[in-house]
Amino acid sequence: MVIPVHDVNPVRRTPWVTYGLIAANVVVFLLMPWSGQGLAQLCHMQAFLDQYAAVPQELIHHQLPRLVPTGDVGVGAQGPGCVIGPPDYDKSPELSVGTAMFLHGGWLHLLGNMLFLLIFGNNVEDRMGHVRFALFYGVCGFVATYGFAVLNADSGEPLIGASGAIAGVLGAYLVLYPKARVWVLVPFLIFLPLRLPAWIVLGFWFALQAVYSSGEGVSDAGTVAYAAHIVGFLAGMLLAWPLRPGTPPPPEPRGLLFGRRARPRHTW
């Protein structure tokens, strides 16, 4: 997969919402229960996710489990394990979609999402405005999560991450700035820097999500919600489509392009 590092598409105003979302995701990540080791840390995290993550069967059937991990470690007939008991909290499945959008399973998960949000979110926010972009981000996240839940209605696995909402941002960017140039790193023995049109970069990303969602080409297809990425991406495209006619084109790139120096333009 190509790794985007920068786009040639300046903004007119500071993307405060994008920066705020990145900061909020980092702060929440640092506040997650990472302390402890081994089984104790695992039990704490399971209890935390059951309370704050989105669970498909809860979203679709609106039925909360009678027994959940309490965060404690106990010893049973089969050895040490996480203690389960009645939940001591009230959980709203709908609100859990919002909290789940700020939870991540590790540094790579967080940094990958924030990189895409930083590169592509600023221009989408610039085009939509701060308030509309914040609403757009939330709507894409909810649509992506519920779309995944509909396709996995009986799943009890917690769903976390900002990927669905960020996929919506990518879909909007593709609609608004398909010809914008994006600097990417392509792994080919070494990481080769190339400047490619956004429609190639984001189109390739979407195609990979479609392949991965079918279980082909990856070993972790059961742990990554690729279907949520697809739904979020399509939702972002549809929501951004009315803004396409009035969107100014990105600046014409200069300098190195696909390894060659772009031909100079003549003015008459």
Side-chain angles (χ1 to χ4, degrees), residues 29 33 42 52 70 74 76-77 96 108 128 133 146 156 180 189 219 232 239 252 261 266:
F29 179 80
L42 175 63
Y52 294 106
T70 64
S96 71
L108 288 180
M128 293 183 174
F133 177 72
Y146 270 96
L189 299 180
S219 60
L239 291 173
E252 196 68 26
R261 183 164 296 278
H266 297 282

Side-chain angles (χ1 to χ4, degrees), residues 193-235:
L194 293 177
R195 190 167 65 187
L196 304 174
W199 68 268
I200 292 181
V201 176
L202 298 179
F204 181 65
W205 181 89
F206 181 78
L208 281 181
Q209 307 311 301
V211 171
Y212 291 166
S213 67
S214 67
E216 298 293 333
V218 289
S219 60
D220 60 349
T223 60
V224 179
Y226 293 109
H229 301 173
I230 295 174
V231 175
F233 190 92
L234 295 176

Side-chain angles (χ1 to χ4, degrees), residues 4-252:
V5 293
H6 177 64
D7 66 333
V8 187
N9 196 3
V11 295
R12 299 166 298 170
R13 48 189 154 188
T14 304
W16 293 116
V17 175
T18 298
Y19 292 160
L21 288 170
I22 293 173
N25 276 277
V26 172
V27 170
V28 171
F29 179 80
L30 295 176
L31 293 176
M32 290 176 66
W34 300 108
S35 60
Q37 295 181 350
L39 184 59
Q41 196 273 335
L42 175 63
C43 293
H44 283 131
M45 185 61 74
Q46 284 186 351
F48 179 83
L49 294 180
D50 275 349
Q51 182 174 358
Y52 294 106
V55 180
Q57 65 182 11
E58 295 176 3
L59 296 176
I60 301 302
H61 305 298
H62 213 274
Q63 295 179 348
L64 300 179
R66 292 180 297 176
L67 298 175
V68 297
T70 64
D72 298 324
V73 176
V75 179
Q78 298 180 349
C82 298
V83 177
I84 60 174
D88 58 355
Y89 53 83
D90 293 325
K91 180 181 180 180
S92 168
E94 295 79 12
L95 292 180
S96 71
V97 178
T99 56
M101 288 167 57
F102 293 91
L103 305 178
H104 289 84
W107 278 109
L108 288 180
H109 188 199
L110 173 70
L111 294 177
N113 277 345
M114 296 305 103
L115 175 64
F116 275 82
L117 179 57
L118 178 64
I119 293 174
F120 300 105
N122 59 348
N123 292 105
V124 178
E125 180 180 351
D126 188 50
R127 180 66 183 90
M128 293 183 174
H130 304 311
V131 176
R132 280 199 296 180
F133 177 72
L135 294 174
F136 165 83
Y137 183 89
V139 168
C140 287
F142 270 78
V143 171
T145 302
Y146 270 96
F148 179 84
V150 169
L151 297 174
N152 301 271
D154 295 324
S155 173
E157 294 296 322
L159 183 64
I160 61 173
S163 304
I166 295 173
V169 173
L170 304 186
Y173 194 101
L174 178 61
V175 166
L176 298 174
Y177 305 103
K179 296 181 180 180
R181 300 290 173 169
V182 182
W183 279 103
V184 298
L185 297 177
V186 180
F188 184 75
L189 299 180
I190 60 174
F191 283 100
L192 298 177
L194 293 177
R195 190 167 65 187
L196 304 174
W199 68 268
I200 292 181
V201 176
L202 298 179
F204 181 65
W205 181 89
F206 181 78
L208 281 181
Q209 307 311 301
V211 171
Y212 291 166
S213 67
S214 67
E216 298 293 333
V218 289
S219 60
D220 60 349
T223 60
V224 179
Y226 293 109
H229 301 173
I230 295 174
V231 175
F233 190 92
L234 295 176
M237 292 185 67
L238 291 174
L239 291 173
W241 197 267
L243 299 176
R244 188 183 183 197
T247 301
E252 196 68 26

